[in-house]
Coordinates of all heavy atoms in Angstrom, one line a residue:
Y189 N 8.7 -15.1 53.4 CA 8.0 -15.6 54.6 C 8.5 -17.0 54.9 O 8.9 -17.8 54.0 CB 6.5 -15.7 54.4 CG 5.9 -14.3 54.0 CD1 5.9 -13.9 52.7 CD2 5.5 -13.4 55.0 CE1 5.4 -12.7 52.3 CE2 5.1 -12.1 54.6 CZ 5.0 -11.8 53.3 OH 4.6 -10.5 52.9
A190 N 8.6 -17.3 56.2 CA 9.2 -18.6 56.6 C 8.6 -19.3 57.8 O 8.0 -18.6 58.7 CB 10.7 -18.4 56.9
V191 N 8.6 -20.6 57.8 CA 8.2 -21.4 59.0 C 9.4 -22.2 59.4 O 10.0 -22.9 58.6 CB 7.0 -22.3 58.6 CG1 6.8 -23.3 59.7 CG2 5.8 -21.5 58.3
A192 N 9.7 -22.2 60.7 CA 10.7 -23.0 61.3 C 10.1 -24.1 62.0 O 9.0 -24.0 62.7 CB 11.6 -22.2 62.2
Y193 N 10.7 -25.3 62.0 CA 10.1 -26.5 62.6 C 11.3 -27.4 63.2 O 12.2 -27.7 62.4 CB 9.2 -27.2 61.7 CG 8.7 -28.5 62.3 CD1 8.0 -28.5 63.5 CD2 8.8 -29.7 61.6 CE1 7.5 -29.7 64.0 CE2 8.2 -30.9 62.1 CZ 7.6 -30.9 63.3 OH 7.1 -32.0 63.8
T194 N 11.2 -27.7 64.4 CA 12.2 -28.6 65.0 C 11.4 -29.8 65.6 O 10.8 -29.7 66.7 CB 12.9 -27.9 66.2 OG1 13.5 -26.7 65.7 CG2 14.1 -28.8 66.7
P195 N 11.4 -30.9 64.9 CA 10.6 -32.1 65.4 C 11.1 -32.6 66.7 O 12.3 -32.6 67.0 CB 10.8 -33.1 64.3 CG 11.4 -32.5 63.1 CD 12.1 -31.2 63.6
G196 N 10.2 -33.0 67.6 CA 10.5 -33.7 68.8 C 10.9 -35.1 68.6 O 11.7 -35.7 69.4
S197 N 10.4 -35.7 67.5 CA 10.8 -37.1 67.2 C 10.8 -37.1 65.6 O 10.2 -36.3 65.0 CB 9.9 -38.1 67.7 OG 8.5 -37.8 67.4
D198 N 11.5 -38.1 65.1 CA 11.6 -38.2 63.6 C 10.2 -38.3 63.0 O 9.4 -39.0 63.5 CB 12.4 -39.5 63.2 CG 13.9 -39.4 63.7 OD1 14.2 -38.4 64.3 OD2 14.6 -40.4 63.5
V199 N 10.1 -37.6 61.9 CA 8.7 -37.6 61.2 C 8.9 -37.4 59.7 O 9.8 -36.7 59.2 CB 7.8 -36.5 61.8 CG1 8.5 -35.1 61.6 CG2 6.4 -36.5 61.3
S200 N 8.0 -38.0 58.9 CA 8.0 -37.9 57.5 C 7.0 -36.8 57.1 O 5.9 -36.9 57.4 CB 7.7 -39.2 56.8 OG 8.7 -40.2 57.1
A201 N 7.5 -35.8 56.3 CA 6.7 -34.6 56.0 C 6.8 -34.2 54.5 O 7.8 -34.6 53.9 CB 7.1 -33.5 56.9
R202 N 5.8 -33.5 54.1 CA 5.9 -32.8 52.8 C 5.7 -31.3 53.0 O 5.1 -30.9 54.0 CB 4.7 -33.3 51.9 CG 4.9 -34.7 51.4 CD 3.7 -35.0 50.4 NE 3.5 -36.5 50.2 CZ 4.0 -37.2 49.3 NH1 4.9 -36.7 48.4 NH2 3.7 -38.5 49.2
L203 N 6.2 -30.5 52.1 CA 6.0 -29.1 52.1 C 4.6 -28.9 51.4 O 4.4 -29.4 50.4 CB 7.1 -28.4 51.3 CG 8.5 -28.7 51.7 CD1 9.5 -27.9 50.9 CD2 8.7 -28.4 53.2
V204 N 3.8 -28.1 52.1 CA 2.4 -27.8 51.5 C 2.2 -26.3 51.5 O 2.5 -25.6 52.4 CB 1.3 -28.5 52.4 CG1 -0.1 -28.2 51.9 CG2 1.5 -30.0 52.3
I205 N 1.6 -25.8 50.3 CA 1.3 -24.4 50.1 C -0.2 -24.4 49.6 O -0.4 -24.9 48.5 CB 2.2 -23.8 49.1 CG1 3.7 -24.0 49.5 CG2 1.9 -22.3 49.0 CD1 4.7 -23.7 48.4
G206 N -1.1 -23.7 50.2 CA -2.4 -23.6 49.8 C -3.0 -22.2 49.8 O -2.9 -21.5 50.8
N207 N -3.8 -21.8 48.8 CA -4.5 -20.5 48.8 C -5.9 -20.8 49.2 O -6.5 -21.8 48.9 CB -4.5 -19.9 47.4 CG -4.7 -18.4 47.3 OD1 -3.8 -17.7 47.2 ND2 -5.9 -18.0 47.5
A208 N -6.5 -19.8 50.0 CA -7.8 -20.0 50.5 C -8.8 -19.6 49.4 O -8.5 -18.8 48.5 CB -8.1 -19.2 51.8
G209 N -10.0 -20.1 49.5 CA -11.1 -19.6 48.6 C -11.0 -20.2 47.2 O -10.5 -21.3 46.9
G210 N -11.5 -19.4 46.2 CA -11.4 -19.8 44.8 C -12.1 -18.8 43.9 O -13.4 -18.9 43.8
D211 N -11.4 -17.8 43.4 CA -12.0 -16.9 42.4 C -11.1 -16.6 41.3 O -11.2 -15.5 40.6 CB -12.4 -15.6 43.2 CG -11.2 -15.0 43.9 OD1 -10.0 -15.3 43.6 OD2 -11.4 -14.2 44.9
N212 N -10.1 -17.5 41.1 CA -9.2 -17.4 40.0 C -8.0 -16.4 40.1 O -7.2 -16.3 39.2 CB -9.9 -17.2 38.6 CG -10.7 -18.4 38.2 OD1 -10.7 -19.4 38.9 ND2 -11.5 -18.3 37.2
V213 N -8.0 -15.7 41.2 CA -6.8 -14.8 41.5 C -6.3 -15.1 42.9 O -7.1 -15.0 43.9 CB -7.2 -13.3 41.4 CG1 -6.0 -12.5 41.8 CG2 -7.6 -13.0 40.0
G214 N -5.1 -15.6 43.0 CA -4.5 -15.9 44.3 C -3.2 -15.1 44.5 O -2.8 -14.3 43.7
L215 N -2.5 -15.4 45.6 CA -1.2 -14.8 45.8 C -0.2 -15.4 44.8 O -0.4 -16.5 44.3 CB -0.7 -15.0 47.3 CG -1.5 -14.3 48.4 CD1 -0.8 -14.5 49.7 CD2 -1.7 -12.9 48.1
I216 N 0.8 -14.6 44.5 CA 1.8 -15.1 43.5 C 3.0 -15.7 44.3 O 3.6 -15.0 45.2 CB 2.3 -13.9 42.6 CG1 1.1 -13.2 42.0 CG2 3.2 -14.5 41.5 CD1 0.1 -14.1 41.2
L217 N 3.4 -16.9 43.9 CA 4.4 -17.7 44.6 C 5.7 -17.8 43.8 O 5.7 -18.0 42.6 CB 3.9 -19.1 44.9 CG 4.9 -20.1 45.4 CD1 5.3 -19.9 46.8 CD2 4.4 -21.6 45.2
D218 N 6.8 -17.6 44.5 CA 8.1 -17.7 43.9 C 9.2 -18.2 44.9 O 8.9 -18.0 46.1 CB 8.6 -16.4 43.2 CG 9.4 -16.6 41.9 OD1 10.0 -17.7 41.8 OD2 9.5 -15.7 41.1
N219 N 10.3 -18.7 44.5 CA 11.5 -19.0 45.3 C 11.2 -19.7 46.6 O 11.3 -19.2 47.7 CB 12.2 -17.6 45.6 CG 12.7 -17.0 44.4 OD1 13.0 -17.6 43.4 ND2 12.9 -15.7 44.5
V220 N 10.9 -21.0 46.5 CA 10.7 -21.8 47.7 C 12.1 -22.4 48.0 O 12.8 -22.9 47.2 CB 9.7 -23.0 47.3 CG1 9.6 -23.9 48.5 CG2 8.4 -22.4 46.9
V221 N 12.4 -22.4 49.3 CA 13.7 -22.9 49.8 C 13.5 -23.7 51.1 O 12.7 -23.2 52.0 CB 14.7 -21.8 50.1 CG1 16.0 -22.4 50.5 CG2 14.9 -20.9 48.8
L222 N 14.1 -24.9 51.2 CA 14.1 -25.6 52.4 C 15.5 -25.8 52.9 O 16.4 -26.3 52.1 CB 13.4 -27.0 52.2 CG 13.5 -28.0 53.4 CD1 12.6 -27.4 54.6 CD2 13.0 -29.4 53.0
T223 N 15.8 -25.4 54.1 CA 17.1 -25.5 54.7 C 17.1 -26.2 56.0 O 16.0 -26.3 56.7 CB 17.9 -24.2 54.9 OG1 17.1 -23.3 55.7 CG2 18.1 -23.5 53.6
S224 N 18.2 -26.8 56.5 CA 18.2 -27.4 57.8 C 19.4 -26.9 58.5 O 20.4 -26.4 58.0 CB 18.3 -28.9 57.6 OG 19.6 -29.2 57.1
K225 N 19.3 -26.9 59.9 CA 20.4 -26.6 60.7 C 20.5 -27.6 61.8 O 19.7 -27.7 62.7 CB 20.2 -25.2 61.3 CG 21.4 -24.7 62.1 CD 21.1 -23.3 62.7 CE 22.2 -22.8 63.6 NZ 21.8 -21.7 64.4
V226 N 21.5 -28.5 61.6 CA 21.7 -29.6 62.6 C 22.5 -29.2 63.8 O 23.3 -28.2 63.7 CB 22.3 -30.8 61.9 CG1 21.5 -31.3 60.7 CG2 23.8 -30.5 61.5
P227 N 22.4 -29.8 64.9 CA 23.3 -29.5 66.0 C 24.7 -29.6 65.6 O 25.1 -30.5 64.9 CB 22.9 -30.6 67.1 CG 21.6 -31.1 66.7 CD 21.5 -31.0 65.2
E228 N 25.5 -28.7 66.1 CA 26.9 -28.6 65.7 C 27.7 -29.8 66.2 O 27.8 -30.0 67.4 CB 27.5 -27.3 66.2 CG 28.7 -26.8 65.6 CD 29.1 -25.4 66.0 OE1 28.2 -24.5 65.9 OE2 30.2 -25.2 66.6
P229 N 28.4 -30.5 65.3 CA 29.2 -31.7 65.8 C 30.2 -31.3 66.7 O 30.5 -32.0 67.7 CB 29.8 -32.2 64.5 CG 29.0 -31.7 63.3 CD 28.4 -30.4 63.9
G230 N 30.9 -30.1 66.5 CA 31.9 -29.6 67.4 C 31.4 -29.5 68.8 O 32.1 -29.8 69.8
T231 N 30.2 -28.9 68.9 CA 29.6 -28.7 70.2 C 29.4 -30.0 71.0 O 29.7 -30.1 72.2 CB 28.3 -28.0 70.1 OG1 28.5 -26.8 69.3 CG2 27.8 -27.5 71.4
L232 N 28.9 -31.0 70.2 CA 28.7 -32.3 70.8 C 30.0 -32.9 71.3 O 30.1 -33.5 72.4 CB 27.9 -33.2 69.8 CG 26.5 -32.8 69.5 CD1 25.9 -33.7 68.4 CD2 25.6 -32.8 70.7
A233 N 31.0 -32.8 70.4 CA 32.3 -33.4 70.8 C 32.9 -32.7 72.0 O 33.4 -33.3 72.9 CB 33.3 -33.2 69.6
L234 N 32.7 -31.4 72.1 CA 33.2 -30.6 73.2 C 32.5 -31.0 74.5 O 33.1 -31.2 75.5 CB 32.9 -29.1 73.0 CG 33.9 -28.4 72.0 CD1 33.4 -27.0 71.8 CD2 35.3 -28.4 72.6

Side-chain angles (χ1 to χ4, degrees):
Y189 303 87
V191 168
Y193 177 51
T194 310
S197 55
D198 295 358
V199 62
S200 296
R202 291 184 202 265
L203 309 180
V204 174
I205 307 165
N207 202 103
D211 56 19
N212 293 353
V213 175
L215 294 188
I216 309 302
L217 167 74
D218 211 339
N219 295 337
V220 177
V221 182
L222 175 66
T223 57
S224 68
K225 187 180 173 193
V226 302
E228 199 171 305
T231 308
L232 293 177
L234 283 175

